[in-house]
Coordinates of all heavy atoms in Angstrom, one line a residue:
M1 N 100.5 95.6 106.6 CA 99.2 94.9 106.8 C 98.7 95.3 108.2 O 97.5 95.5 108.4 CB 99.3 93.4 106.6 CG 99.7 93.0 105.2 SD 98.6 93.4 104.0 CE 99.7 93.8 102.6
S2 N 99.6 95.3 109.2 CA 99.2 95.6 110.6 C 98.7 97.1 110.6 O 97.7 97.4 111.3 CB 100.3 95.5 111.5 OG 100.6 94.1 111.7
L3 N 99.3 98.0 109.9 CA 98.8 99.3 109.8 C 97.3 99.4 109.4 O 96.5 100.2 110.0 CB 99.7 100.3 109.0 CG 99.4 101.7 108.9 CD1 99.4 102.4 110.2 CD2 100.3 102.4 107.9
I4 N 97.1 98.7 108.3 CA 95.7 98.6 107.8 C 94.7 98.2 108.8 O 93.7 98.7 109.2 CB 95.6 97.9 106.5 CG1 96.5 98.5 105.4 CG2 94.2 97.7 106.0 CD1 96.7 97.7 104.2
C5 N 95.1 97.0 109.5 CA 94.2 96.4 110.5 C 94.1 97.3 111.7 O 93.0 97.5 112.2 CB 94.8 95.1 110.9 SG 94.7 93.8 109.6
D6 N 95.1 98.0 112.1 CA 95.0 98.9 113.2 C 94.2 100.2 112.9 O 93.4 100.6 113.7 CB 96.5 99.4 113.6 CG 97.3 98.3 114.2 OD1 96.8 97.3 114.7 OD2 98.6 98.6 114.3
K7 N 94.4 100.6 111.6 CA 93.4 101.8 111.2 C 92.0 101.4 111.2 O 91.1 102.2 111.5 CB 93.9 102.4 109.9 CG 95.2 103.2 110.0 CD 95.5 103.9 108.8 CE 96.7 104.7 109.0 NZ 96.5 106.1 108.6
L8 N 91.8 100.1 110.8 CA 90.3 99.6 110.8 C 89.8 99.3 112.3 O 88.7 99.0 112.4 CB 90.2 98.3 110.0 CG 90.3 98.5 108.5 CD1 90.5 97.2 107.9 CD2 89.2 99.2 108.0
Q9 N 90.8 99.4 113.2 CA 90.5 99.0 114.6 C 89.9 97.6 114.7 O 89.0 97.3 115.4 CB 89.6 100.0 115.3 CG 90.2 101.3 115.3 CD 89.3 102.4 116.0 OE1 88.1 102.1 116.3 NE2 89.8 103.6 116.2
L10 N 90.5 96.7 113.9 CA 90.1 95.3 113.8 C 90.4 94.6 115.1 O 91.5 94.7 115.6 CB 90.9 94.6 112.6 CG 90.5 93.1 112.3 CD1 89.0 93.1 111.9 CD2 91.3 92.6 111.3
K11 N 89.3 93.9 115.6 CA 89.5 93.2 116.9 C 89.2 91.7 116.7 O 88.6 91.2 115.7 CB 88.5 93.8 117.9 CG 88.5 95.3 118.0 CD 88.3 95.7 119.4 CE 88.4 97.2 119.6 NZ 88.9 98.1 118.6
E12 N 89.7 91.0 117.6 CA 89.5 89.5 117.6 C 88.1 89.1 117.5 O 87.2 89.7 118.2 CB 90.1 88.9 118.9 CG 90.1 87.5 119.0 CD 90.7 86.9 120.3 OE1 91.6 87.6 120.8 OE2 90.3 85.8 120.7
G13 N 87.8 88.1 116.6 CA 86.4 87.7 116.4 C 85.7 88.5 115.4 O 84.5 88.0 115.1
E14 N 86.1 89.7 115.0 CA 85.4 90.4 114.0 C 85.5 89.8 112.7 O 86.5 89.0 112.5 CB 85.8 91.9 114.0 CG 85.4 92.7 115.2 CD 85.7 94.2 115.1 OE1 86.8 94.5 114.6 OE2 84.9 95.0 115.6
T15 N 84.6 90.2 111.8 CA 84.7 89.7 110.4 C 85.0 90.8 109.5 O 84.5 91.9 109.4 CB 83.4 89.1 109.9 OG1 83.0 88.0 110.8 CG2 83.4 88.5 108.5
L16 N 86.2 90.6 108.7 CA 86.7 91.6 107.8 C 86.4 91.1 106.4 O 86.6 90.0 106.0 CB 88.3 91.7 107.9 CG 88.9 92.4 106.8 CD1 88.7 93.9 106.9 CD2 90.4 92.2 107.0
L17 N 85.9 92.1 105.6 CA 85.7 91.8 104.2 C 86.8 92.6 103.4 O 86.9 93.8 103.6 CB 84.3 92.3 103.7 CG 84.1 92.3 102.2 CD1 84.1 91.0 101.6 CD2 82.8 93.1 101.8
D18 N 87.6 91.9 102.6 CA 88.7 92.5 101.9 C 88.3 92.5 100.3 O 88.4 91.4 99.8 CB 90.0 91.8 102.1 CG 91.2 92.4 101.4 OD1 91.1 93.6 101.0 OD2 92.2 91.8 101.3
I19 N 87.8 93.6 99.9 CA 87.3 93.7 98.5 C 88.5 93.7 97.6 O 89.4 94.7 97.8 CB 86.4 94.8 98.3 CG1 85.2 94.7 99.2 CG2 86.0 95.0 96.8 CD1 84.2 95.9 99.2
G20 N 88.6 92.9 96.5 CA 89.7 93.0 95.6 C 91.0 92.4 96.4 O 92.0 93.0 96.4
C21 N 90.9 91.3 97.0 CA 91.9 90.8 98.0 C 93.2 90.3 97.2 O 94.2 90.0 98.0 CB 91.3 89.6 98.7 SG 91.0 88.0 97.8
G22 N 93.2 90.2 95.9 CA 94.4 89.9 95.2 C 94.9 88.5 95.6 O 94.2 87.4 95.5
W23 N 96.1 88.4 96.1 CA 96.8 87.1 96.6 C 96.4 86.8 98.0 O 96.8 85.8 98.5 CB 98.3 87.1 96.3 CG 98.6 87.3 94.9 CD1 99.1 88.4 94.4 CD2 98.4 86.5 93.8 NE1 99.2 88.4 93.0 CE2 98.8 87.1 92.6 CE3 98.0 85.2 93.7 CZ2 98.8 86.5 91.4 CZ3 97.9 84.5 92.4 CH2 98.3 85.2 91.3
G24 N 95.6 87.6 98.7 CA 95.1 87.4 100.0 C 96.0 87.7 101.2 O 95.9 87.2 102.2
S25 N 97.0 88.6 100.9 CA 97.9 88.9 102.0 C 97.3 89.5 103.2 O 97.5 89.1 104.4 CB 99.0 89.8 101.5 OG 99.8 89.2 100.4
L26 N 96.4 90.5 103.0 CA 95.8 91.1 104.1 C 94.7 90.2 104.7 O 94.6 90.2 105.9 CB 95.1 92.4 103.5 CG 94.2 93.1 104.7 CD1 95.1 93.6 105.8 CD2 93.5 94.3 104.0
T27 N 94.1 89.4 103.9 CA 93.2 88.5 104.5 C 93.8 87.5 105.4 O 93.3 87.3 106.6 CB 92.5 87.6 103.3 OG1 91.9 88.6 102.3 CG2 91.4 86.8 103.8
R28 N 94.9 86.9 105.0 CA 95.6 86.0 105.9 C 96.3 86.7 107.1 O 96.2 86.1 108.2 CB 96.6 85.2 105.1 CG 96.0 84.2 104.1 CD 97.0 83.3 103.4 NE 98.4 83.9 103.0 CZ 98.5 84.7 101.9 NH1 97.5 84.7 101.0 NH2 99.7 85.1 101.6
H29 N 96.7 87.8 106.9 CA 97.4 88.6 108.0 C 96.3 88.9 109.1 O 96.6 88.8 110.3 CB 97.9 89.9 107.5 CG 98.6 90.7 108.5 ND1 100.0 90.5 108.8 CD2 98.2 91.7 109.3 CE1 100.4 91.4 109.7 NE2 99.3 92.1 110.1
A30 N 95.1 89.3 108.6 CA 94.1 89.6 109.6 C 93.6 88.4 110.4 O 93.5 88.4 111.6 CB 92.9 90.2 108.9
A31 N 93.6 87.3 109.8 CA 93.3 86.1 110.4 C 94.3 85.6 111.4 O 94.1 85.2 112.6 CB 92.9 85.0 109.4
K32 N 95.6 85.7 110.9 CA 96.7 85.1 111.7 C 97.0 86.1 112.9 O 97.2 85.6 114.0 CB 97.9 85.0 110.9 CG 99.2 84.5 111.5 CD 100.3 84.2 110.6 CE 101.6 83.7 111.3 NZ 102.6 83.4 110.3
H33 N 97.1 87.3 112.7 CA 97.7 88.3 113.7 C 96.6 88.9 114.5 O 96.9 89.4 115.7 CB 98.5 89.3 113.1 CG 99.8 88.7 112.5 ND1 100.9 88.2 113.2 CD2 100.1 88.5 111.1 CE1 101.7 87.8 112.4 NE2 101.4 87.8 111.1
Y34 N 95.3 89.0 114.1 CA 94.2 89.6 114.8 C 93.1 88.7 115.1 O 92.2 89.1 115.8 CB 93.7 90.8 113.9 CG 94.7 91.9 113.8 CD1 95.8 91.8 112.9 CD2 94.5 93.0 114.6 CE1 96.7 92.9 112.8 CE2 95.5 94.1 114.5 CZ 96.6 94.0 113.7 OH 97.5 95.0 113.6
N35 N 93.3 87.4 114.8 CA 92.3 86.4 115.1 C 90.9 86.7 114.6 O 90.0 86.6 115.3 CB 92.4 86.1 116.6 CG 91.8 84.7 116.9 OD1 91.7 83.8 116.0 ND2 91.3 84.5 118.0
A36 N 90.9 87.3 113.4 CA 89.6 87.7 112.8 C 89.1 86.7 111.9 O 90.0 85.9 111.3 CB 89.8 89.1 112.2
K37 N 88.0 86.7 111.5 CA 87.5 85.9 110.4 C 87.6 86.9 109.1 O 87.1 87.9 109.2 CB 86.0 85.5 110.5 CG 85.4 85.0 109.2 CD 84.5 83.7 109.5 CE 83.9 83.2 108.2 NZ 84.8 82.7 107.2
A38 N 88.4 86.4 108.2 CA 88.7 87.3 107.0 C 88.0 86.6 105.8 O 88.2 85.5 105.5 CB 90.1 87.5 106.9
V39 N 87.3 87.5 105.0 CA 86.7 87.1 103.8 C 87.3 87.9 102.6 O 87.2 89.2 102.7 CB 85.1 87.3 103.8 CG1 84.5 86.8 102.5 CG2 84.6 86.5 105.0
G40 N 87.9 87.3 101.7 CA 88.5 88.0 100.6 C 87.6 87.8 99.4 O 87.0 86.7 99.2
V41 N 87.4 88.8 98.5 CA 86.6 88.8 97.4 C 87.5 89.2 96.2 O 88.2 90.2 96.2 CB 85.4 89.7 97.4 CG1 84.7 89.6 96.1 CG2 84.6 89.4 98.5
T42 N 87.6 88.3 95.2 CA 88.4 88.6 94.0 C 87.8 88.0 92.8 O 86.9 87.1 92.8 CB 89.8 88.0 94.2 OG1 90.6 88.3 92.9 CG2 89.7 86.5 94.3
L43 N 88.0 88.6 91.6 CA 87.6 88.1 90.3 C 88.6 87.1 89.8 O 88.3 86.4 88.8 CB 87.4 89.3 89.4 CG 86.3 90.2 89.6 CD1 86.3 91.4 88.6 CD2 85.0 89.5 89.6
S44 N 89.8 87.1 90.4 CA 90.9 86.2 89.8 C 90.7 84.8 90.3 O 90.9 84.5 91.6 CB 92.2 86.8 90.3 OG 93.3 85.9 90.0
V45 N 90.6 83.9 89.5 CA 90.5 82.4 89.8 C 91.8 82.0 90.4 O 92.0 81.3 91.5 CB 90.1 81.6 88.6 CG1 90.2 80.1 88.9 CG2 88.7 82.0 88.2
E46 N 92.9 82.5 89.8 CA 94.3 82.1 90.2 C 94.6 82.7 91.6 O 95.1 82.0 92.4 CB 95.3 82.5 89.2 CG 95.2 81.8 87.9 CD 94.2 82.5 86.9 OE1 93.7 83.6 87.2 OE2 93.9 81.9 85.9
G47 N 94.2 83.9 91.8 CA 94.4 84.6 93.0 C 93.6 83.9 94.2 O 94.1 83.7 95.3
A48 N 92.4 83.5 93.9 CA 91.5 82.8 94.9 C 92.2 81.4 95.2 O 92.3 81.1 96.5 CB 90.2 82.6 94.3
K49 N 92.6 80.7 94.2 CA 93.2 79.4 94.5 C 94.5 79.5 95.4 O 94.7 78.8 96.3 CB 93.6 78.6 93.2 CG 92.4 78.1 92.4 CD 92.9 77.4 91.1 CE 91.7 77.0 90.3 NZ 92.1 76.5 89.0
F50 N 95.3 80.6 95.0 CA 96.6 80.8 95.8 C 96.2 81.1 97.2 O 96.8 80.6 98.1 CB 97.3 82.0 95.1 CG 98.6 82.3 96.0 CD1 99.8 81.6 95.6 CD2 98.5 83.2 96.9 CE1 100.9 81.9 96.4 CE2 99.7 83.5 97.6 CZ 100.9 82.8 97.4
C51 N 95.2 82.0 97.5 CA 94.9 82.4 98.8 C 94.4 81.2 99.6 O 94.8 81.1 100.7 CB 93.9 83.6 98.8 SG 93.5 84.3 100.5
I52 N 93.5 80.5 99.0 CA 92.9 79.3 99.7 C 94.1 78.3 100.1 O 94.1 77.8 101.2 CB 91.9 78.6 98.8 CG1 90.6 79.5 98.8 CG2 91.5 77.2 99.4 CD1 89.7 79.1 97.7
E53 N 94.9 78.0 99.1 CA 96.1 77.1 99.4 C 97.1 77.7 100.4 O 97.5 77.0 101.4 CB 96.9 76.8 98.2 CG 97.9 75.7 98.3 CD 97.3 74.4 98.8 OE1 96.2 74.0 98.4 OE2 98.0 73.7 99.6
A54 N 97.3 78.9 100.3 CA 98.2 79.6 101.4 C 97.6 79.6 102.8 O 98.3 79.3 103.8 CB 98.6 81.0 101.0
A55 N 96.3 79.8 102.9 CA 95.5 79.8 104.1 C 95.7 78.3 104.8 O 95.9 78.2 105.9 CB 94.2 80.2 104.0
K56 N 95.5 77.3 103.9 CA 95.6 75.9 104.4 C 96.9 75.6 104.9 O 97.2 75.0 106.0 CB 95.2 74.9 103.2 CG 93.8 74.9 102.9 CD 93.5 74.0 101.8 CE 92.1 73.9 101.4 NZ 91.9 73.1 100.2
Q57 N 98.0 76.1 104.2 CA 99.3 75.9 104.5 C 99.7 76.5 105.9 O 100.5 76.0 106.7 CB 100.4 76.3 103.5 CG 100.3 75.5 102.3 CD 101.3 76.0 101.1 OE1 101.9 77.1 101.3 NE2 101.3 75.3 100.0
Q58 N 99.1 77.7 106.1 CA 99.4 78.4 107.4 C 98.3 78.0 108.4 O 98.3 78.6 109.5 CB 99.2 79.9 107.1 CG 100.3 80.5 106.2 CD 100.2 81.9 105.8 OE1 99.4 82.6 106.5 NE2 100.8 82.4 104.8
K59 N 97.5 77.0 108.2 CA 96.5 76.5 109.1 C 95.5 77.6 109.5 O 95.0 77.7 110.6 CB 97.2 75.9 110.3 CG 98.0 74.7 109.9 CD 98.5 74.0 111.2 CE 99.4 72.8 111.1 NZ 99.7 72.3 109.8
L60 N 95.1 78.4 108.5 CA 94.2 79.5 108.7 C 92.8 79.3 107.9 O 92.1 80.2 107.9 CB 94.8 80.8 108.2 CG 96.1 81.4 108.9 CD1 96.6 82.5 108.1 CD2 95.7 81.7 110.3
D61 N 92.7 78.1 107.3 CA 91.6 77.8 106.5 C 90.2 77.9 107.2 O 89.2 78.0 106.7 CB 91.7 76.5 105.8 CG 92.2 75.3 106.6 OD1 93.0 75.5 107.5 OD2 91.6 74.2 106.5
K62 N 90.3 77.8 108.6 CA 89.0 77.9 109.3 C 88.6 79.4 109.5 O 87.5 79.7 109.9 CB 89.1 77.2 110.7 CG 89.4 75.7 110.6 CD 88.4 74.9 111.3 CE 88.8 73.5 111.4 NZ 88.7 72.8 110.2
K63 N 89.6 80.2 109.3 CA 89.4 81.7 109.6 C 89.3 82.5 108.3 O 89.0 83.7 108.3 CB 90.6 82.3 110.4 CG 90.5 81.7 111.8 CD 91.7 82.4 112.6 CE 91.9 81.8 113.9 NZ 93.1 82.4 114.5
V64 N 89.8 81.9 107.2 CA 89.9 82.6 105.9 C 88.9 82.0 105.0 O 88.9 80.7 104.7 CB 91.3 82.5 105.4 CG1 91.4 83.1 103.9 CG2 92.2 83.3 106.3
E65 N 88.2 82.9 104.2 CA 87.2 82.5 103.2 C 87.5 83.3 102.0 O 87.8 84.5 102.1 CB 85.8 82.6 103.7 CG 84.8 82.3 102.6 CD 83.3 82.6 103.0 OE1 83.0 82.8 104.2 OE2 82.5 82.5 102.2
V66 N 87.5 82.7 100.8 CA 87.7 83.5 99.6 C 86.5 83.2 98.6 O 86.2 82.1 98.4 CB 89.1 83.1 98.9 CG1 89.3 83.9 97.7 CG2 90.3 83.3 99.8
M67 N 86.0 84.3 98.1 CA 84.9 84.2 97.3 C 85.4 84.8 95.9 O 85.9 85.9 95.8 CB 83.7 85.1 97.7 CG 83.1 84.6 99.1 SD 81.6 85.4 99.5 CE 82.2 87.0 100.1
C68 N 85.3 83.9 94.8 CA 85.6 84.4 93.5 C 84.4 84.9 92.8 O 83.7 84.1 92.2 CB 86.3 83.2 92.8 SG 87.1 83.7 91.2
M69 N 84.2 86.2 92.9 CA 83.0 86.8 92.4 C 83.1 88.3 92.4 O 84.1 88.9 93.0 CB 81.8 86.5 93.2 CG 81.9 86.9 94.7 SD 80.6 86.4 95.8 CE 79.1 86.9 95.1
D70 N 82.2 89.0 91.8 CA 82.1 90.5 91.8 C 81.6 90.9 93.2 O 80.6 90.3 93.7 CB 81.2 90.9 90.8 CG 81.3 92.4 90.5 OD1 81.0 93.2 91.6 OD2 81.5 92.9 89.4
Y71 N 82.3 91.8 93.8 CA 81.9 92.2 95.2 C 80.5 92.8 95.2 O 79.8 92.7 96.3 CB 82.9 93.3 95.7 CG 82.7 94.6 95.1 CD1 82.0 95.5 95.7 CD2 83.4 95.0 94.0 CE1 81.8 96.8 95.1 CE2 83.3 96.2 93.4 CZ 82.5 97.1 93.9 OH 82.4 98.4 93.4
R72 N 80.0 93.2 94.1 CA 78.6 93.8 94.1 C 77.6 92.7 94.2 O 76.4 93.0 94.4 CB 78.4 94.6 92.8 CG 79.3 95.9 92.8 CD 79.3 96.5 91.5 NE 80.0 95.7 90.5 CZ 80.3 96.1 89.3 NH1 80.0 97.3 88.9 NH2 81.0 95.3 88.5
E73 N 78.0 91.4 94.1 CA 77.1 90.3 94.1 C 77.1 89.6 95.5 O 76.4 88.6 95.7 CB 77.5 89.3 93.0 CG 77.3 89.8 91.6 CD 77.8 89.0 90.6 OE1 78.3 87.8 90.9 OE2 77.7 89.3 89.3
I74 N 77.8 90.2 96.4 CA 77.7 89.6 97.8 C 76.3 89.8 98.4 O 75.8 90.9 98.3 CB 78.8 90.3 98.7 CG1 80.2 90.0 98.2 CG2 78.7 89.8 100.1 CD1 81.2 90.8 98.9
G75 N 75.7 88.7 98.8 CA 74.4 88.8 99.3 C 74.3 89.7 100.6 O 75.2 89.8 101.4
T76 N 73.0 90.2 100.8 CA 72.8 91.0 101.9 C 72.8 90.2 103.3 O 72.8 90.8 104.3 CB 71.5 91.8 101.8 OG1 70.4 90.8 101.6 CG2 71.5 92.8 100.6
E77 N 72.7 88.8 103.1 CA 72.7 88.1 104.4 C 74.2 88.0 104.9 O 74.4 87.7 106.1 CB 72.3 86.7 104.0 CG 73.2 85.8 103.2 CD 73.0 86.1 101.7 OE1 72.2 86.9 101.2 OE2 73.9 85.5 100.9
C78 N 75.2 88.4 104.2 CA 76.6 88.4 104.7 C 76.8 89.8 105.4 O 76.4 90.8 105.0 CB 77.5 88.3 103.5 SG 77.4 86.8 102.5
K79 N 77.3 89.6 106.6 CA 77.5 90.8 107.5 C 79.0 90.9 107.8 O 79.7 89.9 108.1 CB 76.7 90.7 108.8 CG 75.2 90.5 108.5 CD 74.6 91.7 108.0 CE 73.1 91.5 107.7 NZ 72.6 92.5 106.8
F80 N 79.5 92.1 107.9 CA 81.0 92.3 108.1 C 81.1 93.5 109.1 O 80.4 94.5 109.0 CB 81.7 92.6 106.9 CG 81.4 91.6 105.8 CD1 80.5 91.8 104.8 CD2 82.2 90.4 105.8 CE1 80.3 90.9 103.8 CE2 82.0 89.4 104.9 CZ 81.1 89.6 103.8
E81 N 82.0 93.4 110.1 CA 82.2 94.6 111.0 C 83.2 95.5 110.4 O 83.1 96.7 110.6 CB 82.8 94.0 112.3 CG 81.8 93.4 113.3 CD 81.6 91.9 113.0 OE1 82.5 91.4 112.4 OE2 80.5 91.5 113.4
K82 N 84.1 95.1 109.5 CA 85.1 95.9 108.8 C 85.2 95.5 107.5 O 85.0 94.4 107.0 CB 86.5 95.7 109.6 CG 86.4 96.0 111.0 CD 86.1 97.4 111.5 CE 85.8 97.6 112.9 NZ 86.7 97.3 114.0
I83 N 85.4 96.6 106.6 CA 85.6 96.4 105.2 C 86.8 97.2 104.6 O 87.0 98.3 105.0 CB 84.3 96.9 104.5 CG1 83.1 96.1 104.9 CG2 84.5 96.7 102.9 CD1 81.8 96.5 104.3
S84 N 87.6 96.5 103.8 CA 88.8 97.2 103.3 C 88.7 97.0 101.8 O 88.2 96.0 101.2 CB 90.1 96.7 103.8 OG 90.2 95.3 103.4
S85 N 89.3 98.0 101.0 CA 89.5 97.8 99.5 C 90.8 98.5 99.3 O 90.9 99.7 99.1 CB 88.3 98.5 98.9 OG 88.6 98.5 97.4
I86 N 91.9 97.7 99.3 CA 93.2 98.3 99.1 C 93.6 97.9 97.7 O 93.8 96.8 97.2 CB 94.2 97.5 100.0 CG1 93.7 97.6 101.5 CG2 95.6 98.2 100.0 CD1 93.4 98.9 102.1
E87 N 93.9 99.0 96.9 CA 94.4 99.0 95.5 C 93.4 98.2 94.5 O 93.8 97.8 93.5 CB 95.8 98.2 95.4 CG 96.8 99.0 96.1 CD 98.2 98.3 95.9 OE1 98.5 98.2 94.7 OE2 99.0 98.3 96.9
M88 N 92.1 98.2 94.9 CA 91.2 97.7 94.0 C 90.5 98.9 93.3 O 90.2 99.9 93.9 CB 90.0 96.9 94.8 CG 89.1 96.1 93.8 SD 87.9 96.7 92.9 CE 86.9 97.5 94.1
A89 N 90.5 98.8 91.9 CA 90.0 100.0 91.1 C 89.1 99.5 90.1 O 89.1 98.4 89.5 CB 91.2 100.7 90.4
E90 N 88.0 100.3 89.9 CA 87.1 100.0 88.8 C 87.7 100.4 87.5 O 88.4 101.5 87.4 CB 85.7 100.9 89.1 CG 85.0 100.4 90.3 CD 84.2 99.2 90.1 OE1 83.9 98.9 89.0 OE2 83.9 98.5 91.1
H91 N 87.4 99.8 86.5 CA 88.0 100.1 85.2 C 86.8 100.4 84.3 O 85.8 100.0 84.3 CB 88.7 98.8 84.5 CG 89.9 98.4 85.4 ND1 91.0 99.0 85.3 CD2 90.0 97.4 86.3 CE1 91.9 98.4 86.1 NE2 91.3 97.4 86.8

C-alpha cells in the first residue's frame, strides 16, 4: 500500500479517490499513514460497510469516506488531488 501511495506522491492533506476500493485497505492506509483524506468508491454494499466499520475501529472515520456507487456517477463538484484504481476491471 505504501508503494502505491509513494508512486502517487500522496502528501498529507491531499484527497485520494480509490476507484473500486474493495474492502478499503488502500483507503484506510492512505488516511492512517499519509494523513490524507481518502475516498473509496465501490459497488459492493458489503465492502462499503466493512470499510466504514474498519475505519471507525481504527479511528479514521474523519479521514475516510466510502461511496457505494458507480464511479462514473461521482459529481463534478468532487475534487481529488490523486486517483487510484487498483484491480478494478470493467466487465
Side-chain angles (χ1 to χ4, degrees):
M1 299 297 145
S2 289
L3 178 62
I4 295 167
C5 292
D6 290 344
K7 286 188 177 233
L8 287 170
Q9 298 179 357
L10 185 62
K11 304 215 177 357
E12 183 175 335
E14 289 186 322
T15 302
L16 167 69
L17 171 63
D18 184 16
I19 298 172
C21 69
W23 301 105
S25 298
L26 178 60
T27 307
R28 293 189 318 276
H29 183 87
K32 182 176 182 179
H33 297 284
Y34 290 79
N35 202 23
K37 168 137 174 71
V39 180
V41 177
T42 181
L43 292 174
S44 170
V45 173
E46 294 82 12
K49 286 180 184 176
F50 178 87
C51 185
I52 291 166
E53 187 56 37
K56 285 179 185 175
Q57 289 176 0
Q58 295 176 17
K59 297 186 182 358
L60 297 171
D61 48 316
K62 301 237 188 287
K63 295 181 190 175
V64 172
E65 178 184 349
V66 181
M67 297 188 280
C68 192
M69 62 189 300
D70 188 306
Y71 72 95
R72 294 170 290 190
E73 296 174 359
I74 296 171
T76 56
E77 69 280 356
C78 298
K79 304 295 180 196
F80 308 97
E81 283 83 24
K82 306 294 167 65
I83 300 175
S84 67
S85 178
I86 311 302
E87 295 189 44
M88 196 277 304
E90 294 281 337
H91 298 278

